[in-house]
Amino acid sequence: MFQHHEPSPPLQQRNDDNHPYLKLTFGDADLDASLDVRRAWILGSDTDCDLRIDDAQVDGQHAELYPVGTTWWVRDLGTDVGTFLNGEIFEAAPLMRPAEVQLGTDGPIVCLH
């Protein structure tokens, strides 16, 4: 189950060249949103995360998506279960679109388009 905390500014429900498109996939549930490129986004199971993902594989604050110039990066926030980019475990990496970030070994997948 995905929930999004109302960040400031709120998620924009559109996809254009100025906003990388984020698609979260977990089972039959999807959440599509574009990212505000001016700030970082925290993914995790805590209620104060920007994108809350209620799943046993997801830590309280699991991963961070953040812009550096025109490139989006993702980093694991010290989880025990790990974060995987296109199937490989990592600590921090730039995202080349399309990319799949999996939260935990059997956890939900975040697709960046």
Side-chain angles (χ1 to χ4, degrees):
M1 175 68 63
F2 295 116
Q3 298 176 348
H4 64 87
H5 176 56
E6 285 299 325
S8 177
L11 289 172
Q12 299 178 21
Q13 298 297 323
R14 62 187 171 89
N15 179 22
D16 60 35
D17 292 337
N18 296 323
H19 296 276
Y21 186 63
L22 181 71
K23 180 172 185 166
L24 295 150
T25 304
F26 176 65
D28 294 331
D30 289 331
L31 170 66
D32 296 341
S34 54
L35 297 179
D36 183 329
V37 297
R38 296 169 291 184
R39 68 179 196 87
W41 295 80
I42 302 294
L43 285 68
S45 60
D46 284 350
T47 58
D48 62 344
C49 288
D50 299 308
L51 293 168
R52 184 172 180 268
I53 304 169
D54 186 17
D55 183 85
Q57 287 281 312
V58 179
D59 281 2
Q61 292 193 349
H62 196 107
E64 179 183 31
L65 296 172
Y66 59 99
V68 176
T70 59
T71 302
W72 279 92
W73 283 69
V74 62
R75 71 179 176 113
D76 181 86
L77 295 176
T79 65
D80 291 331
V81 295
T83 302
F84 299 80
L85 177 60
N86 299 324
E88 301 291 327
I89 195 163
F90 71 99
E91 290 183 20
L95 293 172
M96 302 300 169
R97 293 186 283 175
E100 290 188 358
V101 177
Q102 187 168 9
L103 307 177
T105 55
D106 294 316
I109 295 173
V110 177
C111 298
L112 184 73
H113 298 277

